């Protein structure tokens, strides 16, 4: 087995530029949640190392990076099959600076349950040298909406203590942009083509976060990497609660969504501004709570943008901007408005 | 007859043992980010959002590590003072 050293990049102050997460046995310290970026840059390093082979402009490594800044200590990462798994661990290379396990496409949550149960057994017999070891799952929309839904539902029902972060790029991007249950209505994919017969995918997106709310687990939230402070707070909350937690993040894919690589975060920002993807969190105690930008839009409805603002950036919705497809855009706008009105009715901190 | 390699010298199946930092993704790049330090306010947003961990805070400045930068342009797009420009690779 070859032990490789990390590249040396000259750093004048603070931690080395790239490092593995190693915790001394018996370390009780909990890493604080820091929002001062300069302080964060000097003290923390992301759980993902450079050299991963995700496309330029992919939002998935940003999701992992931001989430790892909110980890509180020793963490084990589980990933389902997906873009993130195949391109961060091409044999014999690994990009993970934390312990990492992958099993199969459909059982990320079941694998996490097993890891958590093993940690519990080790702790009971006094063989775990740490106070707490957190289990975090990263899975794409294929591994959550379609293939992994049964294992996620089962793990949520059994109440294992883990955080499930879904990075939703709204299709099977890894295998070549096939439609999934996460693909929005009227989006182009290779298996829901746009032409004279069909205007893209004909079905609605599965409301996965609502499905997890229906499981009555301790914490459910939606987030985007563009609203980073909100996302980091939600990750820390999800790790701290006892029991399963679920975070649905919108993670744009420049190859599948057909936009410029530089606009990755701009697209997710517009998704929140148009209320296509509202930011909220749900706990059994306080119910639905709007956060960050969505709360600002609820307080001042003038900030809400029309859905065209979101569609115009993306090539997968290009056909909707043609004059003969105006009624489809109107229908999408009505769907988004109805979902937003419903959320405003449910949210306990929305102004009435 | 030449000595054949035994099973002991094979890498363990399913265990990734080399760090991906050995694999330089910098040659994927078509456009290269160049930081104008006169405009930079050190807000660190490029460091926070870089998907390739290619922007490094060295204690005084943000520095681009061109070994790993894939040239996506997220840093240039997110920079609030537009201090990062994307120039074509020579």
């Amino acid at each position: 087995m070859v032990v490789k050293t990390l590249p040396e990049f000259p750093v004048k102050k603070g931690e080395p530029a790239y490092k593995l997460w190693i915790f001394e046995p018996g370390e009780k310290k909990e890493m604080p949640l820091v929002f001062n970026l300069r302080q964060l840059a000097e003290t923390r390093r992301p759980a993902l190392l450079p050299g991963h082979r995700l496309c330029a402009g992919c939002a998935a490594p940003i999701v992992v990076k931001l989430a790892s800044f909110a980890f509180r200590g020793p963490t084990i990462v589980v990933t389902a099959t997906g873009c993130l798994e195949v391109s961060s661990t091409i044999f014999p290379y690994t990009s993970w600076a934390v312990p990492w396990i992958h099993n199969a496409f459909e059982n990320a949550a079941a694998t996490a349950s097993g890891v958590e149960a093993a940690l519990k057994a080790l702790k009971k017999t006094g063989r775990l040298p740490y106070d707490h070891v957190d289990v975090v799952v990263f899975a794409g929309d294929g591994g959550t909406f379609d293939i992994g839904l049964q294992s996620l539902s089962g793990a949520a029902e059994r109440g294992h203590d883990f955080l499930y972060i879904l990075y939703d790029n709204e299709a099977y991007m890894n295998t070549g942009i096939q439609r999934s249950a996460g693909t929005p209505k009227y989006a182009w994919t290779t298996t829901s083509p746009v032409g004279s017969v069909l205007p893209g995918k004909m079905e609605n997106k599965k409301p996965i976060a609502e499905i997890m709310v229906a499981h009555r687990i301790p914490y459910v939230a939606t987030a985007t990497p563009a609203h980073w402070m909100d996302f980091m707070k939600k990750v820390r909350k999800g790790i701290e609660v006892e029991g399963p937690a679920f975070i649905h993040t919108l993670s744009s894919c420049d190859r599948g969504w057909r936009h410029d690589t530089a606009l990755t975060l701009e697209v997710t920002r517009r998704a929140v501004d148009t209320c296509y993807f509202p930011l909220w969190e749900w706990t059994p105690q306080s119910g639905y709570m709007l956060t960050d930008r969505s709360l600002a839009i609820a307080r001042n409805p003038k900030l809400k943008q029309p859905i065209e603002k979101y569609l115009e950036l993306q090539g997968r919705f290009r056909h909707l901007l043609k004059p003969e497809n105006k009624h489809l855009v109107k229908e999408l706008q009505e769907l988004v408005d109805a979902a937003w009105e419903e959320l405003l009715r449910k949210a306990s901190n929305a102004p009435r | 007859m030449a000595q054949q390699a035994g099973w002991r010298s094979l890498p363990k199946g399913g265990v990734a043992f080399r760090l991906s930092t050995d694999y330089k993704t910098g040659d994927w790049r078509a456009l290269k980010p160049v930081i104008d330090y006169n405009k930079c306010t050190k807000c660190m947003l490029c460091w926070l959002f870089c998907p390739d961990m290619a922007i490094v805070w060295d204690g005084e400045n943000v520095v681009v590590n061109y070994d790993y930068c894939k040239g996506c342009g997220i840093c240039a797009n997110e920079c609030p003072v537009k201090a990062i420009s994307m120039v074509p690779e020579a």
Side-chain angles (χ1 to χ4, degrees):
Chain A
M1 201 83 48
V2 199
V3 179
K4 282 280 170 182
T5 46
L6 287 158
E8 281 185 22
F9 193 86
V11 169
K12 292 176 191 128
K13 215 167 109 192
E15 299 270 337
Y18 305 110
K19 70 160 198 177
L20 299 178
W21 289 33
I22 294 166
F23 294 89
E24 294 300 321
E27 194 171 288
K28 301 267 186 241
K29 204 172 74 204
E30 202 169 282
M31 291 192 286
L33 189 59
V34 179
F35 291 119
N36 179 334
L37 289 183
R38 214 169 294 176
Q39 198 185 338
L40 191 68
E42 276 164 20
T43 53
R44 298 288 289 267
R45 292 292 169 257
L48 200 65
L49 293 168
H52 60 75
R53 261 124 331 142
L54 286 154
C55 308
C58 179
I62 309 179
V63 169
V64 176
K65 189 178 180 181
L66 293 177
S68 68
F69 288 143
F71 289 175
R72 62 174 171 176
T75 308
I76 296 174
V77 169
V78 182
T79 56
T81 306
C83 286
L84 184 67
E85 183 263 326
V86 298
S87 43
S88 67
T89 52
I90 297 176
F91 187 79
Y93 298 102
T94 176
S95 303
W96 294 90
V98 290
W100 171 90
I101 182 171
H102 162 253
N103 194 345
F105 210 146
E106 67 282 3
N107 58 8
T111 309
S113 310
V115 171
E116 194 258 353
L119 287 171
K120 218 185 257 172
L122 285 176
K123 195 161 188 183
K124 218 174 179 177
T125 51
R127 284 179 289 169
L128 191 71
Y130 305 109
D131 255 7
H132 46 69
V133 178
D134 306 313
V135 182
V136 177
V137 186
F138 288 102
D141 56 308
T144 307
F145 283 81
D146 301 338
I147 303 172
L149 187 61
Q150 37 75 26
S151 74
L152 174 60
S153 177
E157 186 264 328
R158 291 189 301 271
H160 290 283
D161 184 10
F162 66 90
L163 168 65
Y164 195 103
I165 299 177
L166 154 67
Y167 71 96
D168 180 11
N169 50 24
E170 304 197 320
Y172 289 87
M173 301 307 182
N174 169 31
T175 48
I177 324 170
Q178 287 87 9
R179 85 184 267 291
S180 75
T183 310
K185 206 170 187 180
Y186 302 134
W188 165 90
T189 65
T190 50
T191 46
S192 60
V194 173
S196 52
V197 180
L198 286 177
K201 188 190 169 186
M202 296 302 289
E203 298 82 18
N204 282 319
K205 182 173 172 139
K206 196 189 269 186
I208 189 78
E210 311 277 331
I211 294 173
M212 294 319 290
V213 168
H215 283 73
R216 296 291 181 264
I217 58 176
Y219 190 73
V220 181
T222 63
T224 76
H227 304 80
W228 56 276
M229 223 186 257
D230 178 61
F231 179 43
M232 277 163 62
K233 275 183 211 160
K234 283 171 176 170
V235 171
R236 180 51 78 94
K237 268 187 207 169
I239 287 176
E240 275 174 354
V241 291
E242 286 292 314
F246 181 85
I247 297 179
H248 179 186
T249 61
L250 190 70
S251 152
S252 89
C253 166
D254 56 87
R255 296 294 305 127
W257 296 17
R258 301 282 187 227
H259 62 74
D260 195 75
T261 53
L263 298 176
T264 299
L265 293 167
E266 183 63 32
V267 170
T268 45
R269 199 171 286 135
R270 287 198 191 185
V272 174
D273 285 349
T274 56
C275 297
Y276 165 78
F277 189 84
L279 301 172
W280 50 264
E281 58 185 5
W282 182 90
T283 51
Q285 295 82 32
S286 50
Y288 287 88
M289 300 271 276
L290 294 170
T291 57
D292 207 272
R293 186 70 182 168
S294 290
L295 184 58
I297 295 172
R299 285 179 180 153
N300 181 7
K302 270 185 219 153
L303 295 173
K304 187 169 180 281
Q305 309 264 338
I307 190 75
E308 285 92 339
K309 279 272 180 207
Y310 176 61
L311 305 180
E312 73 188 9
L313 283 184
Q314 302 171 47
R316 62 172 177 163
F317 291 120
R318 192 176 49 190
H319 56 288
L320 293 181
L321 301 177
K322 286 182 188 158
E324 66 265 29
N325 283 335
K326 267 220 168 81
H327 63 286
L328 299 181
V329 177
K330 197 161 160 265
E331 196 195 320
L332 272 184
Q333 181 71 61
E334 276 162 11
L335 279 174
V336 167
D337 285 349
W340 174 244
E341 289 300 325
E342 197 194 333
L343 183 62
L344 283 181
R345 269 200 305 281
K346 288 189 291 192
S348 56
N349 62 347
R352 282 171 225 288
Chain B
M1 210 173 103
Q3 186 74 39
Q4 283 194 330
W7 60 273
R8 275 173 227 277
S9 60
L10 292 173
K12 273 187 191 170
V15 179
F17 56 90
R18 282 180 72 178
L19 296 177
S20 69
T21 45
D22 290 355
Y23 189 90
K24 307 277 196 267
T25 49
D27 51 1
W28 294 18
R29 187 171 62 233
L31 294 170
K32 151 178 173 178
V34 177
I35 304 174
D36 180 355
Y37 289 107
N38 293 326
K39 280 192 199 163
C40 178
T41 58
K42 300 177 190 177
C43 70
M44 312 291 296
L45 282 177
C46 54
W47 170 83
L48 185 75
F49 288 135
C50 178
D52 298 310
M53 280 52 82
I55 294 183
V56 182
W57 172 251
D58 75 348
E60 286 164 16
N61 277 313
V62 279
V63 186
V64 184
N65 185 351
Y66 292 110
D67 279 353
Y68 301 113
C69 172
K70 290 173 188 159
C72 59
I74 290 179
C75 49
N77 197 55
E78 295 301 316
C79 182
V81 291
K82 299 290 162 215
I84 304 179
S85 49
M86 301 300 289
V87 297
E89 278 284 331

